[in-house]
Amino acid sequence: MAGGTPRVPISQLLADKTGDEEPKKKSREDWRKAKELEEARKAGTAPAAVDEEGKDINPHIPQYISSAPWYYGAAGPTLKHQRPQEEKKKQYSSIDEWYKKGVDTTRIATKYRKGACENCGALTHKKKDCMERPRKVGAKFSGAQIAHDEFIQPNIVSDYDGKRDRWSGYDPAQHREIVEEYQKVEEAKRALKAAKLKDNPDAELSADEEEDEDKYVDEVDMPGTKVDSKQRITVRNLRIREDTAKYLRNLDPNSAYYDPKTRSMRDNPEPNKKPEDSEFAGENFVRFTGDTQKHSKAQLFAWEAYGKGVDVHILAEPTKLELLKNEYEKKKEQFKSQVKDTILERYGGEEHLQVPPKALLLAQTEEYVEYSRTGKVIKGQEKQIVRSRYEEDVFINNHTTVWGSHWNVGQWGYKCCHSFIKNSYCLGESGKTAQMAVPPTKSLVKVEDSEKEKPVEDEVAEKSKSSSSSSSSSESESEDEEDAKKRQKAKKKSKKRRQKEKKKLKKQEKDKLKEALQAEDKRNKEVDEMMKLDERKRPYNSMYEVKKPSEEEMEAFMMKRRREEDPMLQFLDP
């Protein structure tokens, strides 16, 4: 409460020469009346005290605030000592006063002025503060293209509210540009709508419906959320009118519990159905699916790591936590594999763990290829055929097949005409009939050798024919018996000779085939090693000798080549 008793300073007492007089003390009655007046003012039955400016003083103000110091020289109740003093008040800038933008174009300098910028010639800054591009010859020496002076900015002094004003320095005239832009957009929409209605008058009704939807789209609430702008509240966990209520999905009272206060049903109301098939499987199903379990595991790992002394937080350092978790999982797998290897090394049994994959056991693959009746691929991707180092699908001399597509009696030929001559012209079916008319040879001797050496059977037959023609019918039976014995001996000798030749040929063929297989294995290893190298480090093969492969090389290639038509090939590869 403001003190009603004035406190006269000592200097005034000395000036008035009243210092010898003792100040008049308040009696008990005066203290009682002052106390009653204070209580009445607080209760509102008595009028409040008035200061020198005619303003009411709140009676509830504490005394240490309302009472003025003795040196202030207050003549009555006042709060002027608590207000800002006139000599300490600052002169703040007005609301219209703000920093000027740009340069002062009203004054134009034609020559360099003393004390101006040596680069551009402006008088309001120095060379080190110049924002222009450094000139080759500065304005101080050239005296040309003197830049305009910047505005001398006023000293803006803002109060507490002015420092926090978001719109300080904003020119309301700038809002006119935004209004004009929106007006242009609206006019363009009206013109476009009028053109559409002119072209299609029936679309007027649909256009009006779209306009109504756009008109009220701001008032539509999101499903599960209702915002009341008057009461400033948000009611969540609501449903739209077309959705079935949670408690109506299963009317059994012993089914999932529905909490009407929070409008939540955590369990599945239809436990007989799979959660994936039902429309609503409970709130816990959504809460514990997807990445929620992953997040909970990460949180548990962060807690355990913090308990072990690793300072990591899932929200503050998510990247660090993820890297630590990955490193922990990797070391954990390495430890498991190390323990497994030590057990297998000590007790054995590793062969029982080498089980073929399920795809190999069931002979199934994920590749789907669909063919038409003619064998054309309709859906999927057909397996690519691995090309060899030999030329393929090169047809010459009207042939429809390649050389080596036909094999007969140890000879290669064309399948289209059964010709065994590589540079021959294709005769088609007539060539096949001509080859069928020729009787096959019995011996496996090469063609060029057969012209030089005749079989032993032919020689014996010729000798027998000549002897039979020259002999007369009057010869004795003894001579016939001797000739028969000679023929049998010659047959036995020729048979033994043929068997030896066959064994020798087979042995030579086996040796050649073995060498060809070894050479093919060596070539495959070289190809594998070459494919593992970087393509920039592979050597050139321009000096590779191109020659016709021998029969043994062809046989070795056919034995070692990949069978792409085999469905189990991709599972049997190492």
Side-chain angles (χ1 to χ4, degrees), residues 182 330 412:
Y182 274 90
K330 185 177 179 181
W412 291 102

Side-chain angles (χ1 to χ4, degrees), residues 19 33 60 81 137 144 188 227 248 281 294 309 385 399 435 440 495 499 511 550 566-567:
K33 288 181 180 180
H60 299 282
H81 59 282
V137 180
V227 181
L248 294 179
K294 184 179 179 181
I385 301 174
H399 289 284
Q435 290 292 334
K495 188 175 181 181
Q499 288 178 355
D511 295 339
S550 61
D566 188 2

Side-chain angles (χ1 to χ4, degrees), residues 79-214:
L79 288 176
K80 195 174 182 180
H81 59 282
Q82 295 291 347
R83 299 189 181 96
Q85 306 302 314
E86 294 294 335
E87 63 273 7
K88 294 184 179 180
K89 283 186 179 180
K90 292 182 179 180
Q91 295 295 328
Y92 300 109
S93 303
S94 62
I95 193 171
D96 298 331
E97 190 176 3
W98 196 247
Y99 301 107
K100 296 181 180 180
K101 300 178 181 179
V103 293
D104 188 6
T105 57
T106 58
R107 295 183 298 177
I108 301 175
T110 56
K111 63 180 181 178
Y112 179 78
R113 294 160 292 180
K114 186 177 181 181
C117 177
E118 298 179 0
N119 184 41
C120 65
L123 198 61
T124 51
H125 65 267
K126 297 298 180 182
K127 182 179 180 180
K128 64 178 181 179
D129 301 327
C130 186
M131 301 298 293
E132 280 195 10
R133 176 183 58 84
R135 301 182 184 180
K136 187 175 182 180
V137 180
K140 180 179 180 180
F141 304 102
S142 64
Q145 296 180 357
I146 304 298
H148 295 287
D149 298 337
E150 292 90 352
F151 287 109
I152 299 175
Q153 303 295 349
N155 186 17
I156 303 297
V157 181
S158 301
D159 54 356
Y160 181 86
D161 295 331
K163 290 179 181 179
R164 292 155 181 81
D165 187 10
R166 295 176 57 193
W167 296 94
S168 59
Y170 175 72
D171 187 7
Q174 296 178 359
H175 186 66
R176 190 185 304 276
E177 300 177 0
I178 301 175
V179 174
E180 293 176 355
E181 183 180 357
Y182 274 90
Q183 287 178 355
K184 290 180 181 179
V185 172
E186 291 296 331
E187 290 177 1
K189 285 183 179 179
R190 293 193 196 99
L192 183 61
K193 183 178 179 181
K196 287 184 178 179
L197 292 177
K198 187 176 180 180
D199 296 339
N200 188 7
D202 298 335
E204 183 177 2
L205 181 60
S206 62
D208 294 339
E209 292 177 358
E210 292 179 359
E211 185 178 358
D212 294 340
E213 291 179 0
D214 296 340

Side-chain angles (χ1 to χ4, degrees), residues 384-447:
Q384 296 182 356
I385 301 174
V386 180
R387 300 295 180 182
S388 66
R389 64 175 179 173
Y390 305 101
E391 292 183 349
E392 297 184 6
D393 300 334
V394 178
F395 308 116
I396 59 174
N397 296 336
N398 202 29
H399 289 284
T400 57
T401 57
V402 296
W403 168 260
S405 58
H406 180 61
W407 170 268
N408 188 16
V409 196
Q411 289 181 319
W412 291 102
Y414 293 100
K415 191 176 181 180
C416 54
C417 59
H418 290 186
S419 175
F420 298 104
I421 303 173
K422 186 172 183 180
N423 294 327
S424 63
Y425 193 82
C426 183
L427 300 177
E429 295 296 331
S430 59
K432 291 182 181 180
T433 54
Q435 290 292 334
M436 290 293 292
V438 178
T441 57
K442 294 183 180 180
S443 63
L444 297 176
V445 187
K446 296 183 179 179
V447 178

Side-chain angles (χ1 to χ4, degrees), residues 250-273:
N250 192 351
L251 300 178
D252 186 6
N254 297 325
S255 63
Y257 174 71
Y258 174 75
D259 186 9
K261 185 175 182 180
T262 59
R263 296 177 181 175
S264 60
M265 181 179 286
R266 293 170 177 81
D267 295 336
N268 189 1
E270 298 173 342
N272 297 327
K273 286 186 178 181

